[in-house]
Amino acid sequence: MSMFCYQCEQTSQGTGCNTMGVCGKGPECAALQDLMVHICKGISMYAHRARKLGAKDAYIDTKVMEALFMTLTNVNFDTEEHIDYIMDMAATLEKARGLYTEAARAAGLPVEVLTGPAAYTPVRDRLALLTFAETLNIMKRISKENQDVVSLQELVTYGVKGLAAYAHHAFVLGYVDERVSAFIYEAFDYLSQPEQTVDALLGYALKTGEINLLVMEMLDRAHTETFGHPEPTVVRTTPVKGKCIAVSGHDLNSLHQVLLQTQGKGINVYTHGELLPALAYPLMKKFPHLVGNYGTAWQNQVKEFAEFPGSILLTTNCLKPPADSYKDRLFTMDVVGFEGVRKIQGFDFTPLIESALANPGYTEDAEKKEITIGFGRNAVLSVADKVVDAVKAGQIKHFFLIGGCDGAEFARNYFTELAEQVPQDCVIMTLGCGKYRFNMEEFGTIGGIPRLLDIGQCNDAYSAIKIASALADAFGVGVNDLPLSLVISWFEQKAVAVLLTLLFLGIKDIRLGPNLPAFVSPNVLTKLVEAFALKPTGLPAEDLKVILGKGQ
C-alpha cells in the first residue's frame, strides 16, 4: 500500500517517506497512525461541543492524549497494537458522541448531525481499516487543497501531538490542566471543518505554542514538586561492576518506579538518552543504585543496547527497530511498542528485573569518567547576580542555547562544530538529546560560572525561557535584545511544539536545523521568516560571525 509521512526532520530526501519510513515505520503502521489522528479529530468534534455545554469526561481526555502520543516518531511500530488501540478509540468516539448528545438534550438544544471524522465508525477488520486509512494520505489532501492550508494543518497537528506527549507525562504524575484538552478539541474541530483559512491556521499554530508553554510549565511543576529541583551534579558516564538495567526515553516517573522496585536486589540502574537529567533530581539521588548514565542519544541505541549486558526499558520515544541481539532483553511500556518486544503492564517491572538478574551484567568497573549536569532554572537563577555582573564586566559577551533533538545525519555535526567554535568569553546552554553532540567535552569556566550549562530534557525549554526572561528583566530589556542566540536542532513533534512556543513568545532570529521542516510550504516559510526572522543553520563559522557581529 502507499504511504506518505513527513512529520519528522529525517524524512526521506527532505520531502517525505513514501515507501518505508526512515524511522523504520512501515506503510501499514503509517496509515493506521493517520487513522488514529482522524479518530481523535472525530472525538474532538463531539468533545468540543460538549465542553461548550459544560460537559467533560476525563477518560476521553486521557485517551486522546495517549493516542496522539502513540503517533509520534519512534514511539510505536506494532501494527496489531495500533489496531487494538483504534478499536478502543472507536469506543471512546461513541462515548464522546453520547456525552455531547446528552449535554445538548439537557440544554434543550437540537443535536447537530456531524460529518467528517465525527461520522466515522471503525470496525475490527484489518483490511477495512487499512483501506479507509489510505484515503487519509496527506498527498491526497495536497492534490485537492491549497498547499499552504495543508502545510499549516500539519504544523498545528504535529504541534498538538507534541504538547499531548508532554501533557501525558504530567498526567502520570497526577497533574492535569483542563485548558489543554479544551484546546486540543477546539483545534482539531477546526481542522475537521470543510473550509479553513491560512490566517486562522496561523493563529491556531501560535495558540498551540501558547498552550504548550502552559503544558511545559505544568510538567516542570510536576517534576520539581515530585522529585525536587535539579541541582548541579557530577555524574558518572562509564559503567560499574554488577547486574544492570538501562532506562531510556523521557519519563521520570517510570525511572522512579524502577528504582523503587530494584532496591536491595543487587542491580545497578543507568539512565540513557533523554533521562540523563534525572540524575540531578534530589529524590533520584537518594537511590545509591542509580549509578550513572550509559550511552548517548537515541540514534546510537542499536550499537549501545547490543553492548549493554543487562535489560533495557524504553519508557517513551525514541525507539529504533531493535536488533535480535538484544530484543529478548528489551522492554517497552505505556504507548511505546514493537512487535515481538515484551511490554510492561501497570508499572510491574518484575520481568525487567528478572531479565537483568539473568544477564551477566558488567564484570568490572570501567575507567571513571564524569560530566556535570543539573543547571535548571533554580540553579542558574540562584547565581543570576554573578551572571549579570560577569556580563556587565565584559567577562561574558554572549549566551548561546544550542540544543534540542539529536539524529543520525552527518549534517548534525554542525552543532558540535558550532559549540566547539564558540569563543571562550561566551556561555553555552543546552538541553534535549542534542547535548550529546558536545556534552562530554571540557568547556571550562568564566569567573567560576561553567561555560556549558546542561539545563535538562527537551521539555526543560521552559527552564531556558525562565532563565532568559529573568536575565532580560535584570538588564531591563526584552529577550530579543539580550546577547542571546538560539540555535535549535529539531527532530520530532515535541520539538515542533517547543518551536511554536518560542514563536508565540515572539522570540526572533532562531536558527533551526539541520534541515527545515518538509511540511512547511514555501509561502508559510516566508510568513515565518518575515514575522520572526526564522532562519536555517548554515556553516558554523559563518553563523558565528553573523551572530557575534550584531554588536551585542
Side-chain angles (χ1 to χ4, degrees), residues 30 77 105 142 178 183 190 213 238 285 287 293 305 336 351 383 398 430 456 493 526:
F77 300 81
R105 288 173 177 165
I142 291 175
E178 290 287 342
F183 172 72
Y190 183 76
L213 178 62
T238 51
K285 291 164 69 173
F287 295 91
N293 186 74
F305 289 175
V336 188
V383 294
H398 204 87
T430 190
Q493 298 72 54
T526 297

Side-chain angles (χ1 to χ4, degrees), residues 393-448:
Q395 292 176 294
I396 297 177
K397 295 292 180 61
H398 204 87
F399 296 89
F400 288 82
L401 176 61
I402 306 174
C405 311
D406 202 3
E409 301 105 318
F410 179 78
R412 288 184 181 271
N413 288 338
Y414 165 92
F415 300 98
T416 308
E417 295 170 14
L418 183 72
E420 291 173 343
Q421 293 176 32
V422 165
Q424 294 295 310
D425 57 3
C426 299
V427 171
I428 301 168
M429 296 182 288
T430 190
L431 48 75
C433 59
K435 73 184 66 159
Y436 284 107
R437 287 279 159 178
F438 48 81
N439 71 333
M440 304 293 178
E441 298 187 28
E442 178 56 53
F443 286 88
T445 62
I446 300 176

Side-chain angles (χ1 to χ4, degrees), residues 73 155 160 263 309 362 510 531:
T73 303
L155 178 61
V160 168
Q263 288 184 108
Y362 287 102
I510 299 170

